[in-house]
Amino acid sequence: MAKKRKAARKTGTRVTFKPDSSIMEVSEFHFDTLAQRLRELAFLNKGIRIQFTDERSGKKHDFQYEGGISSFVKYLNTNKTVLHPEPIYHQRERDRMVVEIAIQYNDGYVENVFSFVNNINTVEGGTHLIGFRTALTSTINNYAEREGLTKGLKDVTLGGDDVREGLTAVVSVKLPDPQFEGQTKAKLGTTEAKGVVQSIVGEGLRNYFEENPAVARKIVDKCIQTARAREAARKARDLARRKSVLDGGSLPGKLADCQSTNPAECEIYLV
């Protein structure tokens, strides 16, 4: 006769709290706000399972993402046309700092980058985000120049805005004793984070581009199209400004810009 299995012991930590109404003006919890934050935590901590139940309404959510921040990027790009099906993912630890990035481009025009430090959403960025953007711009520029993809751009260079158009990315950094600017922890001020993130991101992107040239070319082509559109828009603005200056009556009437297309009716004054 089979022996009856013993019930598994449940272990863990339970935290119970209640907001003080004498301090907190609003003490009502919003399900969607909490669900969004718990979803973020599940994305940022690969494989962790978070069960969320609202006993007031009976709503439940079960968050678990084996892909981590790669799944986060896919979630952000839902219903968008992406340039490459799988996000570019890279993780490395250096100088007691763990840097994790996931990148995926879509055919849109909006930059959508989220940065985190020790699971805290740094909505104002900081040194880690500066390092990420610097590495992204320099790596794409270097690859494009080395492969001869920027020959048709002449004097136009790929700027930061060009390489980030249509970019969806998550940058997660974990480090001991982070220094934040302000009590809200919205911006990282740790100086060392910039160099470490820049080095790790640059290294990861270079390796990925070498191993996946087809994806790298798609990304560079999109950046080049953006640069060309930016340059065309600049020339159109300059032309419009020149016309407005000539048509604005700032010159004497006898020196006004010619309005006729008939050469016989036109005169030129050399002063």
Side-chain angles (χ1 to χ4, degrees):
M1 184 175 178
K3 294 183 179 180
K4 187 177 180 181
R5 294 180 60 186
K6 294 182 179 180
R9 292 182 59 189
K10 294 184 178 180
T11 61
T13 302
R14 172 177 292 183
V15 178
T16 304
F17 69 94
K18 185 177 180 181
D20 189 344
S21 58
S22 64
I23 299 174
M24 309 291 291
E25 295 181 359
V26 179
S27 58
E28 181 181 357
F29 292 96
H30 296 280
F31 181 87
D32 293 338
T33 302
L34 292 173
Q36 179 180 350
R37 176 55 180 158
L38 294 175
R39 183 184 289 109
E40 279 184 358
L41 291 173
F43 280 130
L44 293 168
N45 299 275
K46 185 187 304 183
I48 192 173
R49 184 182 183 187
I50 301 177
Q51 294 176 299
F52 177 38
T53 303
D54 187 346
E55 295 181 350
R56 300 169 303 179
S57 61
K59 287 184 179 180
K60 293 183 179 180
H61 266 312
D62 196 345
F63 302 111
Q64 187 174 22
Y65 304 99
E66 296 298 335
I69 62 172
S70 291
S71 298
F72 196 176
V73 168
K74 287 184 176 180
Y75 172 80
L76 295 171
N77 272 336
T78 303
N79 299 325
K80 296 178 182 177
T81 303
V82 296
L83 299 188
H84 44 107
E86 292 299 321
I88 302 171
Y89 176 79
H90 185 63
Q91 179 181 359
R92 188 63 57 88
E93 181 176 357
R94 187 169 298 161
D95 297 338
R96 299 196 306 157
M97 192 179 306
V98 179
V99 179
E100 189 178 10
I101 63 162
I103 298 170
Q104 189 178 43
Y105 279 85
N106 58 63
D107 63 353
Y109 307 100
V110 180
E111 173 191 353
N112 197 15
V113 178
F114 291 86
S115 62
F116 298 85
V117 175
N118 296 355
N119 292 335
I120 299 171
N121 190 349
T122 48
V123 293
E124 296 180 9
T127 52
H128 59 320
L129 187 57
I130 294 173
F132 167 76
R133 287 176 169 171
T134 303
L136 181 70
T137 303
S138 62
T139 303
I140 290 180
N141 266 292
N142 292 338
Y143 181 84
E145 291 176 6
R146 193 184 68 200
E147 297 298 320
L149 302 177
T150 57
K151 291 180 179 179
L153 286 179
K154 296 181 181 179
D155 296 331
V156 181
T157 58
L158 299 178
D161 291 337
D162 300 326
V163 303
R164 294 196 302 270
E165 184 175 289
L167 169 68
T168 300
V170 174
V171 181
S172 177
V173 178
K174 293 182 173 65
L175 69 160
D177 302 321
Q179 299 173 2
F180 294 97
E181 297 181 10
Q183 294 183 346
T184 57
K185 298 183 179 180
K187 187 174 183 180
L188 180 66
T190 304
T191 307
E192 296 81 4
K194 177 181 179 295
V196 173
V197 173
Q198 182 176 341
S199 174
I200 291 176
V201 173
E203 177 184 299
L205 286 177
R206 284 193 298 272
N207 293 338
Y208 182 89
F209 286 171
E210 291 291 339
E211 297 170 1
N212 302 272
V215 175
R217 189 177 185 97
K218 285 183 180 180
I219 293 174
V220 173
D221 286 345
K222 177 175 176 58
C223 298
I224 290 175
Q225 291 174 9
T226 303
R228 284 174 174 161
R230 173 176 56 81
E231 182 64 14
R234 185 191 65 80
K235 290 180 179 178
R237 279 197 310 271
D238 292 344
L239 181 61
R241 287 171 182 168
R242 178 180 176 275
K243 286 184 176 180
S244 64
V245 169
L246 293 174
D247 297 340
S250 58
L251 295 175
K254 62 182 180 181
L255 296 179
D257 194 29
C258 185
Q259 302 296 320
S260 175
T261 57
N262 184 359
E265 299 175 354
C266 301
E267 294 180 286
I268 183 170
Y269 289 86
L270 299 178
V271 181

